[in-house]
Amino acid sequence: MGEAEVKPKKAGPVQCSICSQRRAALKRPKTLEQICRECFYAVFEEEIHRVIVDNQLFKPGERIAIGASGGKDSTVLAYVLSELNRRHNYGLDLFLLSVDEGITGYRDDSLETVKRNEIQYGLPLKVVSYKDLYGWTMDEIVKMIGLKNNCTFCGVFRRQALDRGAAMLKVDKLATGHNADDIAETVLLNILRGDIARLSRCTSIITGEDGPIPRCKPFKYTYEKEIVMYAYFKRLDYFSTECIYSPNAYRGFAREFIKDLERIRPRAILDIIRSGEKFRISTSAKMPEQGTCERCGYISSQKWCKACVLLEGLNRGLPKLGIGRTRGLNNGLECDTKQSNGVKNIQSKQCGTLDF
Amino acid sequence: MACGAGNCQSGCFRDDDHSVVTEKKKLTNGTLSSGSDLDLPNHHNLCLKCKVNETLASSGTVSVDGDIGRFCFDCFRGNLFGKFKLAVTSNAMISPTDNILVAFSGGPSSRVALQFVHEMQHKAQKNFDASRDRSLPVFGVGVAFVDESAVSRIPSDEFDRAIQDMKSIVSNLAPPEKAFHVVPIESVYSSNGRDRLEELLNAVKDVTGKEDLLQHLRMLSLQKNAYENGYTKLLLGSCTSRIACHVISATVKGQGYSLPADIQYVDARWEIPVVLPLRDCLAQELNMLCRLDGLKTMEVLNSPHSGINGLVASFVTLLQEENPSRECTIVRTAGKLTPFHFNQIPESDDSNAHLASRRRQKKFNLKPNESVPPQSYCPICNSPLSKSDHLILSSLGSDQTNADIFGAACCPSCQFQILPKEPASMEHFYSLLPQQFVVQAKDRSSSMQRQLREQIQDFLLSDSEDGT
């Protein structure tokens, strides 16, 4: 729990600081305690169980979809959730829900992993694809818009895809594998980018309660390093490559910073989350109002939901539609009727030459 | 290169005061090639604002890439002074009867703060001399430098030279005359300061905790000096860049609740209220001004940050390089967090000031904070404690030592990074604390006891604590 000071080399085998019986096999990333494997499994699982119970994430009899990408977070989530469901009698019906974004060499490989998880954990799997839902794969999207804003498209599309899939499965909730590192990054990102509305929501362990499908994050206080360690020691089957389109994401800045931070003070990750929980937002700050999208009926704070705006852009060959700061409603969507006024904020257009 | 079109929305330059560095997207090279006869960004080398003088970029003093380069020197300086003046007037920072103590570190931000305050005072003095009835007095200004030579490793001859330079800077900023105080940081102790200070800092193992404790002692010594010398306000040169770093580092240390208290224009929770008139100026601009205006700075006294603070400083620098409006965005976002009731100048008995502040509040849409004031503050860093942190104090048993009570009164961040973990070390640490920290904690815990007792008064059958 202390700062990473320079420790003298271990003289010989160290006893586990929890059970004092077995030999310590690892140093716990969250607390730097030296513990054995069995105790690590126990504290890891127990902490998640406490989070689930203390925050009342589930009710007996609920159908829960686990967002499964085949990556370590969702694989460990599926494993631990089904284990805890058995051990503590949560009484849940668990499903795996996977999204196929259409990224060759990445997603098709990780989908194979999820299909194996379906068999290994005995959880029914459903796959929804961008191609079916939107008519575009990420490969096609990137070919059109390049590598700068592709993560925006993918993130927006995935959110809706998960909701659609969850509706098809008729589940009550969606559980995602967002871990403490992710949430800490998001808090920082929202500060850096001025998104006060998201800043007020992003540390909530349950979101979207007034929307189609509530989502929860059982791993909210679980360190990414510990998830990796758990998967490694338990020899869980997961796919461990970064998305091939992601290197330019702005989140990378926050991620690097947090990695450096963790080295100096491991508990800083949790401290960021706690800060995020304690932020009090002025009521005078403008907050978006919730409505529905005119085009598809999905939840939206604008006239059209973001997915529809982005799709419109793709279908009309306007890759920047919906990207960048919105000056007015829907960022240029009313351009047809308001050409003479100049369209709001199309970044790459030069003044004086705005036309469609 | 303002295109001049009123409704142009492509984000190119507009000539209004605030557009210089706060709102800007970077102009891409392609913007100019749309049929105008301007081939290079600095071909058109007249100031964006006054359109009369040469820009700083074309006179070779500033690199072409910077936004600053598009103004002439006068407009650039005028813009900075304008931001300073607006902050002072709209937040009632300086009233005619005030005695302002300017904290001067030798760095560029506080150097500019000192310069601008002097210019305001000088103008007020001229008005006073010229006026017939002499009704409005001129506010006083003093300068304080915190001498940390007891804890830092600067060679003493460099140090003495720097002090001499400061003395001459202050004496040149006259009329009106200004007192110059060299405040040794060990003055927070009434006796044996240097040794006790060294022992205190050695008792803190965490690198970041040590740095932060020093920062709190710095404020304590300034407050003490201001109080003892009759100053009514303490003025710091904290700029946007420094505040942006504080936003990130406070977030990282778990201080999300108290963060808004430290980043407003006014911080009146101290005995001597603290004001930050350079809150809207970037470090880059202030550095530039010192360079261009020949304002001398003494950088040798400022040592780089280490630990978390150092990491955050590099991070923010990196982000700022990637996007020059990042620091502003960070401060603006944090500015949307609810401030505390003490983040405005308390209303005095002076009815004129009261009316003026009402008008100001209305004009700038400043709402006084309606929430209940925090019940307690951390005795070390003075940050307001949230209800949940506050509850821990009330759960103590009756057999706790003073050191335990003190520890429980501190905020979670100070408890983790400053206070020693072992009870014996904690007792020792407690004995080394400056009186001020200890007194505040004692007041707080006894007021807590009193509050609890009041709630259950009607049900107590005996008057004494143990029920006999």
Side-chain angles (χ1 to χ4, degrees):
Chain A
M1 216 167 327
E3 185 189 348
E5 298 162 10
V6 177
K7 291 195 161 59
K9 280 238 173 250
K10 286 203 288 260
V14 183
Q15 292 300 91
C16 168
S17 58
I18 297 182
C19 67
S20 306
Q21 288 169 13
R22 291 174 283 263
R23 228 180 68 175
L26 56 101
K27 202 163 59 171
R28 218 198 141 180
K30 192 185 255 185
T31 59
L32 302 177
E33 290 166 299
Q34 292 179 308
I35 56 180
C36 64
R37 281 188 3 195
E38 288 75 13
C39 286
F40 173 62
Y41 298 153
V43 294
F44 183 83
E45 292 160 5
E46 179 61 21
E47 276 176 18
I48 294 165
H49 171 62
R50 284 258 60 86
V51 167
I52 290 174
V53 168
D54 293 345
N55 294 280
Q56 296 164 343
L57 297 187
F58 307 123
K59 287 200 267 295
E62 280 184 327
R63 292 163 66 91
I64 309 290
I66 300 174
S69 63
K72 55 169 169 42
D73 297 327
S74 50
T75 295
V76 173
L77 180 62
Y79 179 90
V80 172
L81 217 44
S82 46
E83 175 57 35
L84 292 177
N85 191 27
R86 250 193 308 274
R87 190 187 297 169
H88 297 281
N89 296 318
Y90 291 163
L92 306 171
D93 262 331
L94 298 174
F95 299 86
L96 292 175
L97 176 56
S98 206
V99 177
D100 179 5
E101 305 100 339
I103 302 178
T104 19
Y106 169 70
R107 188 47 82 204
D108 38 3
D109 288 341
S110 67
L111 275 180
E112 290 307 309
T113 310
V114 189
K115 289 187 188 139
R116 287 199 297 275
N117 289 158
E118 177 181 21
I119 300 166
Q120 289 157 352
Y121 307 150
L123 304 174
L125 165 67
K126 171 133 195 75
V127 181
V128 287
S129 78
Y130 282 7
K131 192 69 184 174
D132 291 339
L133 285 176
Y134 309 116
W136 289 77
T137 61
M138 272 316 289
D139 285 342
E140 290 163 1
I141 292 175
V142 171
K143 219 173 281 181
M144 180 181 223
I145 65 161
L147 287 170
K148 187 118 197 267
N149 293 308
N150 46 312
C151 293
T152 300
F153 280 80
C154 192
V156 172
F157 286 166
R158 179 176 311 108
R159 170 172 291 259
Q160 260 212 39
L162 282 173
D163 281 346
R164 302 266 172 100
M168 285 185 231
L169 280 171
K170 296 202 194 1
V171 294
D172 303 297
K173 283 199 183 91
L174 182 61
T176 54
H178 290 96
N179 57 47
D181 298 50
D182 292 328
I183 296 181
E185 282 165 25
T186 304
V187 170
L188 286 180
L189 226 48
N190 287 330
I191 295 175
L192 299 182
R193 299 174 91 167
D195 200 330
I196 198 75
R198 287 210 173 86
L199 189 61
S200 62
R201 299 192 303 259
C202 66
T203 47
S204 305
I205 196 169
I206 303 177
T207 51
E209 280 149 306
D210 42 356
I213 307 275
R215 291 144 179 260
C216 64
K217 305 181 171 81
F219 282 173
K220 179 182 174 192
Y221 300 105
T222 313
Y223 279 35
E224 181 167 347
K225 276 210 173 77
E226 299 208 341
I227 292 174
V228 173
M229 214 170 233
Y230 189 87
Y232 170 77
F233 281 119
K234 287 258 179 181
R235 300 198 207 289
L236 297 180
D237 186 359
Y238 68 92
F239 183 70
S240 69
T241 306
E242 280 254 329
C243 175
I244 54 181
Y245 293 137
S246 75
N248 295 327
Y250 194 71
R251 185 173 279 265
F253 282 110
R255 180 164 306 170
E256 272 310 302
F257 173 65
I258 286 187
K259 283 210 182 101
D260 294 334
L261 204 56
E262 198 182 359
R263 242 172 269 137
I264 306 181
R265 188 188 282 187
R267 68 172 252 169
I269 295 180
L270 288 181
D271 285 341
I272 295 176
I273 298 177
R274 301 216 196 281
S275 284
E277 288 166 348
K278 296 204 214 134
F279 282 151
R280 297 176 309 149
I281 315 286
S282 302
T283 45
S284 60
K286 252 180 3 121
M287 291 294 191
E289 262 180 41
Q290 203 190 87
T292 45
C293 173
E294 284 179 2
R295 191 166 170 272
C296 71
Y298 189 65
I299 192 174
S300 170
S301 62
Q302 311 293 328
K303 259 169 127 190
W304 278 18
C305 70
K306 195 67 158 183
C308 286
V309 172
L310 295 177
L311 263 179
E312 185 72 6
L314 286 175
N315 292 329
R316 289 218 301 220
L318 300 167
K320 295 288 189 176
L321 199 63
I323 304 291
R325 229 166 14 142
T326 319
R327 292 275 173 86
L329 265 187
N330 284 125
N331 210 355
L333 210 49
E334 285 97 19
C335 57
D336 293 341
T337 48
K338 292 191 179 152
Q339 252 188 54
S340 50
N341 244 0
V343 175
K344 304 162 184 28
N345 193 30
I346 304 291
Q347 262 182 352
S348 56
K349 292 289 184 180
Q350 302 140 20
C351 58
T353 63
L354 299 163
D355 66 43
F356 290 86
Chain B
M1 56 66 47
C3 64
N7 60 353
C8 167
Q9 300 264 8
S10 71
C12 66
F13 258 73
R14 312 250 212 121
D15 44 332
D16 58 67
D17 285 0
H18 298 286
S19 70
V20 182
V21 261
T22 49
E23 304 286 15
K24 273 15 266 139
K25 292 185 187 125
K26 268 199 137 120
L27 285 179
T28 59
N29 283 332
T31 320
L32 293 169
S33 60
S34 56
S36 77
D37 53 0
L38 309 170
D39 291 314
L40 299 159
N42 63 342
H43 176 98
H44 200 95
N45 55 6
L46 287 186
C47 167
L48 210 55
K49 188 167 157 81
C50 64
K51 313 249 192 327
V52 171
N53 302 321
E54 221 184 30
T55 62
L56 291 170
S58 52
S59 60
T61 39
V62 173
S63 74
V64 172
D65 284 345
D67 290 338
I68 297 175
R70 293 176 211 283
F71 283 152
C72 68
F73 173 72
D74 289 330
C75 290
F76 165 67
R77 190 185 208 279
N79 176 264
L80 278 181
F81 188 79
K83 289 199 263 199
F84 170 86
K85 192 121 191 289
L86 184 64
V88 169
T89 49
S90 57
N91 293 283
M93 288 185 186
I94 301 178
S95 69
T97 49
D98 267 328
N99 209 4
I100 312 285
L101 183 62
V102 178
F104 181 41
S105 66
S109 302
S110 52
R111 180 66 187 88
V112 173
L114 180 55
Q115 187 69 29
F116 282 176
V117 169
H118 162 69
E119 288 175 16
M120 262 189 88
Q121 190 196 32
H122 186 75
K123 179 143 188 269
Q125 183 68 56
K126 278 197 358 214
N127 291 343
F128 178 79
D129 293 337
S131 77
R132 218 171 282 207
D133 56 0
R134 311 244 155 143
S135 55
L136 270 183
V138 180
F139 61 93
V141 175
V143 183
F145 167 72
V146 179
D147 163 11
E148 293 176 37
S149 52
V151 297
S152 67
R153 276 178 248 287
I154 301 158
S156 62
D157 54 339
E158 260 184 68
F159 184 79
D160 293 334
R161 217 176 318 135
I163 297 283
Q164 287 313 312
D165 286 341
M166 286 187 202
K167 279 208 175 106
S168 74
I169 289 175
V170 175
S171 63
N172 286 334
L173 288 174
E177 293 274 317
K178 298 168 182 47
F180 178 58
H181 311 265
V182 177
V183 183
I185 194 164
E186 60 268 29
S187 65
V188 295
Y189 295 105
S190 38
S191 67
N192 203 14
R194 283 182 90 110
D195 294 332
R196 289 177 77 186
L197 182 63
E198 200 182 320
E199 250 194 283
L200 180 73
L201 290 175
N202 283 338
V204 180
K205 299 302 168 203
D206 187 296
V207 169
T208 309
K210 199 187 300 238
E211 223 178 76
D212 286 353
L213 179 59
L214 197 55
Q215 171 68 27
H216 304 317
L217 292 170
R218 204 175 287 142
M219 175 57 86
L220 200 59
S221 60
L222 282 170
Q223 286 284 321
K224 192 160 181 231
N225 182 263
Y227 180 74
E228 286 169 357
N229 291 294
Y231 290 99
T232 53
K233 298 260 171 56
L234 177 61
L235 191 145
L236 305 180
S238 307
C239 61
T240 306
S241 316
R242 179 179 289 261
I243 294 176
C245 288
H246 182 74
V247 169
I248 305 290
S249 57
T251 301
V252 159
K253 293 168 191 165
Q255 296 168 317
Y257 178 79
S258 61
L259 166 60
D262 312 318
I263 60 166
Q264 309 300 327
Y265 290 102
V266 174
D267 181 359
R269 75 196 122 139
W270 304 93
E271 186 77 46
I272 310 293
V274 175
V275 295
L276 275 44
L278 292 181
R279 186 180 178 270
D280 300 318
C281 303
L282 297 178
Q284 187 197 22
E285 300 177 294
L286 299 172
N287 274 322
M288 183 67 53
L289 182 62
C290 288
R291 199 159 71 80
L292 297 177
D293 211 9
L295 300 178
K296 194 158 201 283
T297 57
M298 284 116 269
E299 291 286 11
V300 68
L301 299 162
N302 298 318
S303 47
H305 294 296
S306 53
I308 298 215
N309 300 327
L311 191 63
V312 170
S314 328
F315 180 52
V316 174
T317 304
L318 177 68
L319 294 175
Q320 180 74 1
E321 276 163 17
E322 188 267 340
N323 183 334
S325 35
R326 192 60 65 198
E327 282 168 352
C328 291
T329 306
I330 293 174
V331 174
R332 196 181 334 123
T333 312
K336 295 192 182 145
L337 301 174
T338 315
F340 293 86
H341 72 288
F342 49 72
N343 284 121
Q344 36 181 16
I345 296 291
E347 274 164 28
S348 59
D349 293 326
D350 181 3
S351 57
N352 278 337
H354 189 86
L355 268 176
S357 84
R358 275 275 174 79
R359 247 180 282 126
R360 207 171 296 111
Q361 282 186 347
K362 211 167 159 210
K363 178 176 178 197
F364 293 102
N365 204 22
L366 302 169
K367 280 191 277 267
N369 186 255
E370 285 120 11
S371 64
V372 180
Q375 289 180 283
S376 62
Y377 300 79
C378 171
I380 295 183
C381 64
N382 210 15
S383 49
L385 297 180
S386 65
K387 271 222 181 66
S388 49
D389 299 328
H390 183 63
L391 280 173
I392 297 171
L393 180 56
S394 55
S395 68
L396 290 176
S398 56
D399 58 342
Q400 305 289 339
T401 64
N402 282 332
D404 293 327
I405 296 175
F406 177 86
C410 289
C411 69
S413 174
C414 287
Q415 281 174 351
F416 170 71
Q417 65 173 16
I418 293 179
L419 302 183
K421 307 278 182 285
E422 303 292 307
S425 320
M426 180 59 202
E427 288 293 334
H428 180 61
F429 181 82
Y430 179 71
S431 68
L432 292 169
L433 287 169
Q435 198 54 26
Q436 213 119 336
F437 286 164
V438 170
V439 164
Q440 280 169 15
K442 278 218 175 90
D443 281 347
R444 215 150 287 140
S445 87
S446 61
S447 104
M448 256 249 64
Q449 267 297 82
R450 233 180 306 121
Q451 278 175 41
L452 288 177
R453 199 190 162 85
E454 273 164 22
Q455 286 179 38
I456 56 168
Q457 188 67 46
D458 294 339
F459 301 92
L460 291 176
L461 295 177
S462 106
D463 278 335
S464 70
E465 277 294 319
D466 56 1
T468 51

